[in-house]
Amino acid sequence: MTRAVARRIASGAVVLWAAATAAYLALLAAPGDIVDSLIGDGADTPQIRAQIITEWNLDRPAVVQYLDYLWRAAQGDLGRSYLLQRPVGEVIGDQLPPTLRLAVAAAVFGVVLALVLAVTTRHRWVRRASSTAELIIVSTPPFLIGIVLLSVFSFRFGLFPVSGDQGWAALVLPAVTLGLPIAGVLAQVLRDGLDRALDEPFAVTARARGLTERAVLMRHALRHSLIPAVTLLGWLTGALLGGAVIIEQVFGRPGLGQVTLQAVGNGDMPVVLAVVVLAAAAFVVVNTVADLAYLLIDPRLRRSTS
Amino acid sequence: MTLALPRPVARRFTLRRPRPGLTAAGLVLLVTLAAAAWPSLFAGDPLAADPLRVLEAPSAAHWFGTDQLGRDVFDRVVHGARHSLSIGVAATVIAVGAGILLGVVAGLVHRVADEALSRGFDALAAFPLVLLALLFIAIAGTGTTSLIVAIGIATTPHHARVVRAQTLVVRQAPYVTHAVAFGASRPRLVLRHVLPNVLGPIPVLAMIGLGEAVLIAAGLSFLGLGPQPPSPEWGAMLSEGRGYLHIAWWASLLPGAAVTATVISLTVIGRHVQHRFEGRPS
């Protein structure tokens, strides 16, 4: 058990190292001088150039530059945005809460909706209708869903604010927009899982013991169908992060997405690199949690690993 | 000797089972392809602005209404098919090409190198596509070419994984062993025996990948990172229309509907072909 956890943490560290290295290589590969890339569209003065050269050790050998970069990243020092004249950690820290609120709300909405859909739409026709709806939702660009919801609920009926991040009402539409495609994918996976579980011998046994179909579904099959869904946790985080960039733009919300977009537009590389490393960190954490969740859901795994 | 076997009556019906979804998807795709191939045949000038007819609702004269500059939205949507599809196709070509190359290499090289490559594919495939593409655009700058390459690179790992898995199967196949026994050289082995047999699932993969590429391309150009105005790209039109949503839903929703219809059609047909390919009923 401890061995499995240790291996998990080690491979997580390797992924983080790879992400930090990839970000560093991207910086080197960018056209022009590394100092030019780091300045972006910011003020280009000799003082700032000198500051960048000392902070990134650009006057030292390449190996030292790289190792020092890794060492700083490991300590959580993500560098400095020369465009905004602020530490990157601070820039991101300021914008993280609204994005986290959006992501958590969307995840809860998506997962609950997927569970409800997968469990309640067992009947043939309802099921087919639900599958079709899921296909449409998954194939629709998320920003279009957002724009449709905006035009109906905000402009037509005036139920929710049009943009910004004031209070819970402003969170509803963005969270629904971000959560719907997630619900679509998860519901399909859960439904497949339920189908497979209900064909297993244990389902027959449970029915033979006189359990109602609903009890078989809720108490036995659902747990089995959760295993493939947990595998998707990593994908889910990616979908939330990537989706947030677009959704925040649609709803004019502040957050990590806006910061990233501005940074990309202005060539503010320190911020872009930090966002990439941060996303990798989120990916590692979520996958570790997913591995632990398997143990929680499936007692068979607990027995074989301990 | 008259042994009458029961005729498989039911089978005949399942073969001819009507597939409204599939038919509709095929039609939508045909229309989109036609629009992409000969836009001028179906629609007028997408850039012709009429300042007297700004943000008019859909009517007989302007089927999809007009936008904030008085341009006909229908004309722009039709011409947009070429922009959006060609970005999607170009990105998919890059992704599939690079995917085949990396996948075959990973499937044929030494175990340790394969392990390293595969881990890389796994990690990249799980990373948010939008962020990968944004990283590339941050380095290479905005523009259509950069957008195409960004999406191509971001979707490569997925293709590479499938090709690698296929390569591992093919290299164990008896005909490869026989070719080795007959003394085939390594390049001949790879080009003549492994590669052609690895390519089997590629069309299906490319079809589904194309839908995804069109979707991401629309998203990124919605963010202003693709073709710049006034070019009639679907995502860019949506982004321009977003500002007028409260008075003119058609200027953003109808281009959005075009993206959605195209992507759904590609997905439906892709899944169908995939099921056929795997020998399962779809």
Side-chain angles (χ1 to χ4, degrees):
Chain A
M1 184 74 193
T2 41
R3 197 142 140 254
V5 171
R7 190 187 300 153
R8 201 46 256 185
I9 289 171
S11 83
V14 170
V15 170
L16 273 182
W17 164 76
T21 306
Y24 189 72
L25 290 178
L27 194 60
L28 293 185
D33 193 352
I34 189 166
V35 179
D36 293 331
S37 316
L38 285 170
I39 290 182
D41 294 349
D44 190 353
T45 63
Q47 286 97 319
I48 288 183
R49 282 190 170 265
Q51 188 191 352
I52 293 177
I53 288 171
T54 34
E55 284 185 9
W56 285 75
N57 288 318
L58 295 179
D59 46 358
R60 314 267 309 269
V63 183
V64 177
Q65 288 177 26
Y66 170 64
L67 289 179
D68 184 70
Y69 160 82
L70 280 188
W71 177 238
R72 275 182 290 141
Q75 291 171 314
D77 175 9
L78 296 167
R80 200 178 161 76
S81 160
Y82 300 100
L83 183 77
L84 304 172
Q85 285 297 330
R86 288 174 71 198
V88 169
E90 212 175 87
V91 176
I92 290 179
D94 277 358
Q95 300 297 326
L96 203 53
T99 303
L100 275 183
R101 273 201 294 277
L102 171 63
V104 169
V108 169
F109 171 75
V111 170
V112 169
L113 181 63
L115 279 172
V116 170
L117 278 179
V119 170
T120 54
T121 59
R122 303 292 307 163
H123 192 271
R124 213 170 136 206
W125 289 107
V126 192
R127 177 198 174 102
R128 185 167 285 180
S130 176
S131 301
T132 311
E134 284 152 21
L135 174 68
I136 293 176
I137 289 291
V138 171
S139 309
T140 309
F143 51 89
L144 181 68
I145 301 178
I147 284 178
V148 170
L149 291 178
L150 257 184
S151 71
V152 174
F153 292 103
S154 294
F155 290 125
R156 173 84 17 124
F157 298 120
L159 291 176
F160 300 106
V162 172
S163 67
D165 180 32
Q166 270 85 49
W168 292 102
L171 191 60
V172 174
L173 290 185
V176 169
T177 309
L178 192 53
L180 271 178
I182 289 168
V185 173
L186 270 185
Q188 288 172 349
V189 173
L190 282 175
R191 184 174 293 128
D192 282 354
L194 282 179
D195 287 349
R196 237 173 295 126
L198 286 175
D199 280 345
E200 297 265 337
F202 72 78
V204 180
T205 314
R207 287 193 193 105
R209 289 206 324 264
L211 263 70
T212 59
E213 200 58 38
R214 177 143 298 252
V216 177
L217 194 71
M218 299 302 287
R219 257 184 255 160
H220 296 277
L222 193 58
R223 199 176 177 132
H224 280 256
S225 73
L226 284 180
I227 294 167
V230 167
T231 315
L232 284 179
L233 265 180
W235 165 85
L236 178 81
T237 324
L240 285 171
L241 270 174
V245 177
I246 293 174
I247 302 301
E248 283 174 4
Q249 187 76 1
V250 173
F251 290 95
R253 280 176 64 87
L256 216 51
Q258 294 279 16
V259 169
T260 313
L261 264 188
Q262 270 169 22
V264 169
N266 299 326
D268 193 354
M269 284 308 282
V271 174
V272 178
L273 298 187
V275 169
V276 170
V277 173
L278 193 74
F283 170 73
V284 168
V285 170
V286 167
N287 272 299
T288 312
V289 170
D291 280 3
L292 296 177
Y294 284 128
L295 299 181
L296 213 66
I297 294 170
D298 194 341
R300 291 171 301 184
L301 291 175
R302 257 175 276 167
R303 215 171 302 135
S304 59
T305 47
S306 57
Chain B
M1 182 77 191
T2 50
L3 191 78
L5 284 167
R7 298 241 316 263
V9 180
R11 178 105 181 256
R12 245 186 9 213
F13 284 107
T14 54
L15 275 178
R16 288 187 192 164
R17 186 153 57 96
R19 297 174 169 281
L22 197 62
T23 316
L27 280 177
V28 170
L29 209 58
L30 271 182
V31 170
T32 315
L33 283 177
W38 307 282
S40 317
L41 205 64
F42 306 101
D45 185 0
L47 301 179
D50 183 352
L52 296 176
R53 297 180 165 275
V54 170
L55 295 174
E56 277 186 9
S59 64
H62 299 288
W63 290 356
F64 284 10
T66 59
D67 68 4
Q68 73 281 4
L69 297 176
R71 294 172 299 194
D72 186 281
V73 176
F74 179 77
D75 291 347
R76 289 177 67 72
V77 168
V78 170
H79 281 269
R82 175 175 279 182
H83 284 81
S84 295
L85 272 192
S86 54
I87 291 173
V89 169
T92 310
V93 167
I94 292 177
V96 170
I100 292 174
L101 191 70
L102 289 172
V104 168
V105 167
L108 290 178
V109 291
H110 188 266
R111 212 167 50 90
V112 177
D114 173 33
E115 183 75 6
L117 276 171
S118 309
R119 279 299 159 88
F121 298 157
D122 287 348
L124 279 176
F127 206 73
L129 278 179
V130 175
L131 281 185
L132 272 185
L134 280 179
L135 176 63
F136 182 83
I137 292 171
I139 295 164
T142 52
T144 310
T145 319
S146 162
L147 178 73
I148 290 170
V149 180
I151 298 172
I153 292 178
T155 47
T156 296
H158 175 69
H159 297 281
R161 279 164 91 183
V162 178
V163 173
R164 173 187 167 268
Q166 184 76 7
T167 308
L168 288 183
V169 174
V170 168
R171 72 183 264 195
Q172 305 291 335
Y175 53 79
V176 173
T177 327
H178 291 178
V180 173
F182 275 104
S185 68
R186 197 161 166 80
R188 185 180 164 79
L189 205 64
V190 172
L191 292 176
R192 186 88 183 78
H193 298 281
V194 175
L195 197 57
N197 292 297
V198 165
L199 296 183
I202 290 300
V204 180
L205 208 61
M207 189 97 181
I208 294 174
L210 179 59
E212 199 182 20
V214 170
L215 200 58
I216 306 167
L220 289 174
S221 58
F222 174 78
L223 296 176
L225 301 171
Q228 298 300 312
S231 77
E233 198 275 340
W234 289 338
M237 290 173 69
L238 255 160
S239 154
E240 278 183 76
R242 158 74 174 90
Y244 305 91
L245 191 58
H246 53 299
I247 37 177
W249 55 267
W250 50 89
S252 49
L253 286 192
L254 293 177
V259 184
T260 309
T262 308
V263 175
I264 292 179
S265 308
L266 284 169
T267 314
V268 167
I269 295 174
R271 282 188 186 183
H272 174 72
V273 178
Q274 186 179 27
H275 288 167
R276 285 280 295 268
F277 188 81
E278 290 168 358
R280 289 190 276 146
S282 62

